């Protein structure tokens, strides 16, 4: 049986609504905050690669990125399961505080072996964020509204990345590259304190009914022949059913092919602009940040359209955006160099990649993993995507000299196109709900 988006408007009770939007705000801030320490190295590497900094070459910089991305991929699988087993609160408080410590340690380091080690620790801590926080939001907002809500919520990583890039670049220019690590760590520590006081895992933890009971909806299940009672919260049964769910596995494969493009631009965008235009740290960071500036617009519009126009179907927008993203990647390095051209392309690519990124890794992961298995589903999907991100994050450093930037972007375009082809047959797919017993 397929659930449709034709139900009447949900009721609203003041206490319940206050908690829903409090959780929305604190989880939004938490994930945006993670980007403060995640973007530090992408900015600092410009000066770290100069003789006046640490004199690191692109290959060495790529090794540091590779350590982060490898640990990030491993951590996604680990923290995703932990989020369902032990709850969002424990996982986020541990991961966020670890990220603060890793950023400070990395800023204080000068040896390549230490930079690689602390970058790996940072990657492991960063990976604790997405899956448990997605689950947290899914526990307070139901399927019929999830596209729009997740669209608003997913502005966190686009907006967070944009602000973090500018902030780290300004700190580096003002006080040296080490402060691209120190200053964001201070901000994230303040966010940790806010999260500690204002976050809760589920409505039931504060004496409120489940969001499905509140909205008088049927609760989605992983298997259509089961009831919600057959899938206990926090059980290994739910975890294993998510890991074997064919729709979740497909989204994981799609995200693997989608993620290299986003991370290549996130990690190498400022340096690409610097090499092509000869701009300084701040201007290179600002032009590169146009990619992330487009993100909040993209995920917000995509979420609303997936609910209102496509009736809670997440695949149509994802397929269309991925097709056009492949085209822009293919042509970006084939036209004359200019700030206007690069700025336009980076902004357009942000519009095209953040929409499917948020729908696949966020909204659809919660839809098909259900709120009970949302963290495991998000962890699996993002873990596979993070393996793809290793390719995107290290590819320019290792192969730009051999292939040129045009060759790098052509390969990224091909990967995005494959992601679109995988999703195309699932254009109308929706989650299933339990049959009445």
């Amino acid at each position: 049986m397929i659930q449709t988006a034709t139900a009447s408007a949900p009721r609203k009770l003041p206490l319940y609504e206050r908690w829903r939007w409090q959780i929305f705000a604190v989880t939004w801030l938490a994930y945006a905050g993670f980007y403060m320490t995640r973007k530090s190295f992408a900015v600092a590497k410009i000066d770290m690669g100069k003789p006046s900094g640490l004199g690191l070459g692109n290959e060495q910089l790529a090794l540091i990125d590779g350590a982060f991305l490898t640990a990030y991929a491993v951590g996604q699988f680990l923290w995703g399961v932990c989020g369902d087993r032990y709850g969002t609160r424990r996982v986020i408080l541990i991961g966020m505080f670890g990220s603060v410590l890793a950023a400070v340690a990395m800023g204080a380091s000068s040896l390549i072996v230490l930079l690689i080690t602390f970058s790996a620790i940072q990657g492991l801590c960063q990976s604790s964020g997405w899956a448990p926080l997605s689950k947290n939001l899914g526990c307070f907002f139901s399927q019929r509204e999830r596209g729009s809500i997740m669209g608003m919520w997913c502005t966190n990583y686009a907006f967070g990345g944009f602000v973090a890039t500018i902030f780290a670049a300004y700190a580096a220019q003002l006080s040296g590259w080490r402060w691209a690590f120190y200053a964001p760590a201070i901000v994230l520590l303040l966010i940790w304190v806010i999260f500690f006081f204002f976050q809760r895992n589920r409505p039931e933890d504060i004496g409120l009914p489940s969001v499905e009971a509140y909205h008088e909806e049927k609760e989605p299940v992983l298997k259509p022949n089961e009831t919600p009672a057959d899938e206990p919260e926090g059980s290994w049964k739910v975890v294993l059913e998510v890991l074997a769910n064919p729709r979740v596995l497909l989204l994981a494969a799609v995200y693997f092919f989608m993620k290299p493009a986003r991370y290549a631009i996130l990690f190498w965008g400022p340096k690409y602009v610097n090499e092509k235009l000869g701009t300084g740290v701040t201007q290179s960071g600002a032009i590169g940040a146009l990619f992330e500036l487009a993100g909040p617009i993209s995920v917000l519009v995509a979420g609303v359209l997936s609910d209102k126009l496509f009736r809670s179907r997440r695949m149509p927008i994802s397929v269309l955006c991925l097709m056009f993203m492949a085209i822009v990647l293919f042509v970006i390095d084939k036209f004359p160099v200019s700030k206007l051209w690069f700025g336009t392309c980076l902004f357009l690519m942000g519009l095209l990649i953040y929409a499917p990124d948020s729908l696949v890794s966020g909204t659809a992961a919660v839809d098909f993993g259900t709120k009970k298995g949302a963290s495991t589903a998000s962890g699996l999907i993002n873990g596979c995507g993070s393996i793809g991100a290793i390719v995107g994050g290290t590819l320019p450093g290792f192969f730009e000299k051999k292939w040129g930037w045009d060759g790098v972007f052509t390969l990224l375009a091909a990967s995005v196109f494959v992601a679109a082809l995988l999703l195309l047959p699932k254009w109308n797919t929706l989650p299933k709900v339990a049959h009445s017993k």
Side-chain angles (χ1 to χ4, degrees):
M1 180 178 177
I2 295 179
Q3 184 175 11
T4 64
T6 58
S8 60
R11 60 177 176 161
K12 292 185 178 182
L13 301 177
L15 179 61
Y16 209 111
E17 292 301 310
R18 180 183 73 79
W19 270 104
R20 274 156 49 92
W21 291 105
Q22 179 174 315
I23 294 301
F24 179 95
V26 75
T27 55
W28 188 99
L29 181 63
Y31 200 71
F34 269 108
Y35 268 77
M36 297 303 296
T37 46
R38 184 182 302 192
K39 292 307 300 288
S40 296
F41 181 60
V43 171
K45 68 170 58 169
I46 295 174
D47 280 347
M48 293 169 75
K50 295 178 180 178
S52 59
L54 297 180
L56 302 178
N58 279 1
E59 292 81 3
Q60 291 172 305
L61 296 173
L63 286 173
I64 298 171
D65 277 334
F68 174 95
L69 291 167
T70 302
Y72 188 84
V74 172
Q76 288 282 359
F77 297 105
L78 170 67
W79 295 119
V81 173
C82 287
D84 283 331
R85 291 282 293 159
Y86 305 113
T88 297
R89 186 174 182 80
R90 292 181 183 179
V91 173
I92 295 301
L93 289 175
I94 293 170
M96 192 181 294
F97 193 73
S99 179
V100 170
L101 297 179
V104 172
M106 200 167 176
S109 302
S110 297
L111 298 177
I112 184 68
V113 65
L114 292 179
L115 290 167
I116 290 173
T117 300
F118 292 129
S119 183
I121 295 172
Q122 182 67 259
L124 186 63
C125 293
Q126 286 282 331
S127 64
S128 69
W130 181 260
L133 289 172
S134 297
K135 174 185 177 67
N136 200 176
L137 196 71
C139 288
F140 282 83
F141 294 90
S142 59
Q143 183 193 337
R144 78 171 84 172
E145 61 187 347
R146 196 169 290 145
S148 302
I149 296 300
M150 288 291 287
M152 290 188 287
W153 189 78
C154 286
T155 59
N156 53 20
Y157 65 92
F159 183 80
F162 172 73
V163 172
T165 301
I166 300 297
F167 182 68
Y170 179 75
Q173 181 144 323
L174 191 66
S175 304
W177 64 265
R178 295 185 189 277
W179 277 92
F181 295 97
Y182 297 150
I186 294 171
V187 175
L188 185 58
L189 182 60
L190 294 175
I191 293 173
W192 184 92
V193 174
I194 294 171
F195 188 87
F196 179 84
F197 284 106
F198 294 102
Q199 184 271 347
R200 297 294 184 272
N201 286 340
R202 304 179 305 157
E204 294 92 324
D205 295 340
I206 45 180
L208 297 172
S210 71
V211 70
E212 287 80 16
Y214 176 53
H215 282 172
E216 300 177 342
E217 294 181 13
K218 288 186 177 180
E219 186 173 337
V221 291
L222 291 162
K223 292 185 175 181
N225 61 337
E226 293 184 336
T227 67
D230 296 327
E231 298 174 346
E233 179 82 29
S235 67
W236 281 111
K237 182 179 188 296
V238 169
V239 169
L240 294 175
E241 285 185 0
V242 170
L243 295 177
N245 188 301
R247 293 175 180 83
V248 173
L249 293 174
L250 174 65
L251 292 173
V254 168
Y255 208 43
F256 169 80
F257 286 104
M258 185 194 309
K259 201 72 172 279
R262 180 172 156 237
Y263 264 72
I265 298 168
L266 281 177
F267 278 39
W268 292 90
K271 190 164 180 62
Y272 170 67
V273 172
N274 171 258
E275 289 185 7
K276 288 288 185 176
L277 300 177
T279 47
V281 176
T282 301
Q283 193 171 28
S284 298
I287 295 174
L290 288 172
F291 174 72
E292 289 155 301
L293 179 62
I297 304 169
S298 176
V299 299
L300 181 57
V301 172
V304 172
L305 289 179
S306 73
D307 273 348
K308 306 302 182 184
L309 182 61
F310 293 104
R311 301 179 67 191
S312 297
R313 292 172 175 83
R314 320 303 178 190
M315 308 312 175
I317 292 176
S318 298
V319 171
L320 293 173
C321 286
L322 289 170
M323 291 287 190
F324 284 110
M325 178 67 176
I327 295 172
V328 178
L329 282 166
F330 184 73
V331 303
I332 183 173
D333 207 58
K334 291 179 169 63
F335 285 80
V337 171
S338 74
K339 294 178 184 178
L340 178 61
W341 172 249
F342 286 145
T344 301
C345 283
L346 286 167
F347 187 80
L348 183 57
M349 286 193 291
L351 288 176
L352 293 171
I353 198 64
Y354 275 99
D357 189 283
S358 66
L359 290 173
V360 169
S361 69
T363 312
V366 178
D367 282 349
F368 293 105
T370 76
K371 68 176 186 180
K372 292 180 180 179
S375 186
T376 299
S378 294
L380 175 62
I381 293 167
N382 280 273
C384 291
S386 297
I387 296 172
I390 296 172
V391 177
T394 58
L395 186 70
F398 289 124
F399 295 104
E400 183 270 327
K401 288 183 179 178
K402 179 186 290 187
W403 299 344
W405 283 106
D406 184 51
V408 170
F409 282 120
T410 298
L411 183 60
L412 294 173
S415 182
V416 169
F417 187 70
V418 170
L421 291 181
L422 288 173
L423 270 185
L424 187 59
K426 302 298 181 181
W427 184 277
N428 287 316
T429 302
L430 275 170
K432 297 185 178 180
V433 295
H435 289 292
S436 300
K437 287 190 176 182

